[in-house]
């Protein structure tokens, strides 16, 4: 449930030029509460509040309940004081998730597969590929809103703009049950009428910091130079982001993301083993297998999970989420080794010849948190940047090979070359020496 500020004045007709406005942000209204009313029609028109129990907080509230001042993250006990006649229901996440899957499958996915699901009730959509059939983004928004309302008794709000930032701000201001198109030449004006907190990502701490500099609206932000913004918020990166956002500019692509899916490989040893060397070799094979499968499908993964099954058939898993998504064995494998050591409490000083404390029957790894490689911003990690500056110091500039390429880039190139060899000569033709 969104608590982002809305402006009544922003919910107006901004014009009808849809040129370049191919990003939609869809946000279902009071989703949990709407679904409860949908399956209990007798609750229609009553204040419905999801989240009950003496120590719980409000997860969602119908618009009728919001009129009493009930809001998300408020203690349920407080909501009861504000709205004593409210209908308080427990959270039924399995039901909300099931309905979310149905709505995404049966309505949103009918338009395009370029959908970035943000949560059960919210997504971005890149409709540029669907315009041949639909002609106008607003026709798509109108159709989805009608379908979801008629079939599931849930209303949704839709923002239409040229980028994710403005589309999201538009859907927020379209609520409830509305649609707002912000033409490209109105992006700056629309964004600049908002209070600071109207920009997603400006939280209470940053707001306080900016207020202390006398900046109390997005229009004030837009009047500042990037240098003074950097002084105000103490970060060049953040200043650059604010500079762009205050003009309604956002370069992030809609990135289809499938949080639930994973790709994995595992194998049972011929006989149980205590050899770290053998377990590592198996994990190396699994990483290579999974990485080439990721590359084949054009995916990158952020989360690595190692799985071990022991001689007594009990098993253990441990996961790590990385700062950026990867698709190479050279990036996945070191994470697996670190996880293996952590799971079995093996100190970093112990080499591969040290016996494992338990007998291992099966080992494997999987990659999850998958996103399409094409839509990802290529952002070097801090390690890459450090390595580059080291390399520049030792080699000087203008080295003929791999100018501007990080070690990670070069390893990725090697693995792609390996993919090509395997496509030609079969999967056993070459393997990776990490
Ligand atoms: Mg919502």
């Amino acid at each position: 449930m969104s608590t982002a500020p809305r402006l009544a004045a922003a919910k107006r007709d901004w014009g009808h030029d849809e040129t370049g406005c191919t990003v939609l942000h869809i946000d279902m209204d009071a989703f949990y509460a709407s679904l409860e009313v949908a399956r209990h029609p007798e609750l229609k028109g009553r204040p419905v509040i999801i989240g009950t129990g003496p120590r719980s907080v409000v997860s969602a509230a119908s618009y009728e309940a919001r009129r009493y001042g009930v809001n998300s993250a408020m203690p349920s006990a407080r909501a009861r004081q504000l709205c004593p006649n409210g209908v308080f229901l427990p959270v039924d996440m399995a039901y909300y998730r099931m309905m979310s899957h149905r709505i995404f499958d049966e309505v949103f996915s009918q338009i395009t597969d370029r959908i970035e699901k943000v949560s059960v009730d919210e997504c971005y959509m890149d409709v540029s590929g669907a315009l041949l059939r639909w002609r106008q983004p607003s026709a798509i928004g109108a159709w989805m809103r009608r379908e979801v309302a008629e079939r599931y008794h849930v209303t949704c709000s839709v923002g239409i703009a040229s980028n994710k930032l403005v589309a999201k701000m538009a859907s927020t201001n379209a609520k409830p049950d509305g649609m707002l198109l912000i033409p490209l030449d109105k992006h700056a004006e629309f964004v600049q009428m908002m209070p600071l907190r109207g920009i997603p990502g400006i939280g209470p701490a940053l707001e306080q910091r900016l207020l202390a500099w006398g900046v109390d609206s997005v229009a004030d932000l837009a009047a500042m130079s990037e240098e003074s913004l950097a002084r105000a918020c103490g970060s060049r990166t953040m200043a650059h982001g604010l500079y762009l956002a205050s003009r309604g500019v956002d370069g992030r692509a809609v990135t289809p993301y499938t949080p639930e899916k994973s790709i994995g490989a595992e194998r049972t040893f011929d006989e149980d083993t205590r050899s770290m060397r053998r377990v590592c070799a198996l994990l190396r094979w699994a990483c290579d297998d999974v990485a080439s499968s990721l590359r084949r499908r054009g995916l990158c993964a952020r989360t690595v999970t190692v799985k071990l099954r022991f001689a007594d058939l009990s098993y253990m898993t441990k996961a790590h989420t990385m700062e950026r998504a990867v698709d190479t064995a050279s990036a996945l494998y070191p994470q697996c080794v670190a996880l293996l050591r952590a799971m079995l409490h093996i100190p970093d000083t112990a080499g591969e010849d040290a016996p494992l404390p338990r007998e291992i029957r099966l080992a494997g790894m999987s990659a999850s948190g998958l996103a399409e490689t094409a839509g990802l911003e290529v952002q070097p990690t801090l390690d890459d940047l450090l390595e580059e500056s080291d390399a520049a110091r030792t080699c000087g500039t203008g080295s003929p090979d791999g100018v501007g390429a990080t070690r990670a880039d070069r390893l990725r190139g090697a693995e792609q070359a390996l993919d090509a060899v395997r496509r030609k000569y079969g999967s056993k033709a070459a393997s990776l020496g990490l």
Side-chain angles (χ1 to χ4, degrees), residues 1-2 27-31 121-122 175:
M1 179 165 138
S2 169
D27 193 343
M28 294 186 258
D29 302 325
F31 189 54
D121 70 333
E122 188 186 335
K175 278 185 170 294

Side-chain angles (χ1 to χ4, degrees), residues 182-397:
I182 310 296
L184 197 45
D185 63 356
K186 297 289 190 334
H187 279 26
E189 186 190 338
F190 169 71
V191 168
Q192 286 167 18
M193 73 190 288
M194 297 295 158
L196 289 173
R197 295 289 293 279
I199 291 189
I202 299 190
L206 183 53
E207 182 189 33
Q208 282 312 312
R209 232 184 154 127
L210 291 168
L211 286 174
W213 279 73
V215 176
D216 66 1
S217 68
V218 179
D220 287 352
L221 265 186
M224 286 174 83
S225 70
E226 216 174 311
E227 289 69 39
S228 36
L229 275 174
R231 275 195 299 278
C233 59
S235 151
R236 291 217 149 265
T237 318
M238 202 184 281
H240 186 61
L242 290 173
Y243 182 86
L244 296 177
S246 65
R247 286 157 179 75
V249 177
D250 176 13
R252 295 170 302 157
V254 173
T255 309
Y257 183 72
T258 44
E260 309 93 333
K261 295 209 179 111
S262 70
I263 296 177
E266 59 180 48
R267 248 182 212 172
T268 305
F269 290 102
D270 296 339
E271 53 188 39
D272 299 347
T273 182
R274 280 181 189 269
S275 160
M276 172 109 165
R277 196 175 291 282
R278 289 193 66 197
V279 176
C280 284
L282 195 152
L283 288 175
R284 201 148 46 208
W285 160 80
C287 287
D288 191 19
D289 190 64
V290 165
S292 67
S293 167
L294 285 170
R295 289 192 296 274
R296 209 164 43 239
R297 301 185 206 185
L299 296 171
C300 272
R302 279 192 65 196
T303 302
V304 185
T305 304
V306 168
K307 175 180 172 185
L308 297 176
R309 191 180 283 282
F310 300 104
D312 63 2
L313 297 184
S314 68
Y315 75 92
M316 186 189 269
T317 62
K318 194 169 174 69
H320 173 69
T321 298
M322 295 170 284
E323 228 171 271
R324 77 167 170 176
V326 302
D327 66 352
T328 58
S330 46
L332 293 169
Y333 177 64
Q335 305 292 340
C336 289
V337 175
L339 286 169
L340 174 70
R341 286 182 180 272
M343 289 162 92
L344 298 175
H345 308 288
I346 303 165
D348 291 341
T349 47
E352 283 199 356
D353 290 321
L356 296 173
R358 295 183 71 177
E359 279 200 315
I360 310 287
R361 180 186 170 88
L362 166 152
M365 62 79 61
S366 64
S368 57
L370 307 180
E372 284 186 20
T373 312
L376 293 179
E377 290 160 55
V378 181
Q379 211 172 51
T381 64
L382 284 177
D383 282 349
D384 289 341
L385 293 173
L386 282 176
E387 191 219 16
E388 274 172 297
S389 67
D390 283 351
R393 256 203 313 282
T394 50
C395 312
T397 47

Side-chain angles (χ1 to χ4, degrees), residues 59-75:
S59 299
S62 68
Y63 283 85
E64 289 82 359
R66 292 182 201 196
R67 266 178 230 131
Y68 292 83
V70 175
N71 240 317
S72 66
M74 166 187 286

Side-chain angles (χ1 to χ4, degrees), residues 403-421:
V403 178
T406 63
R407 180 170 176 271
D409 288 334
R410 290 192 295 274
L411 286 170
R412 187 164 193 279
E415 291 189 37
Q416 282 170 326
L418 215 53
D419 290 342
V421 170

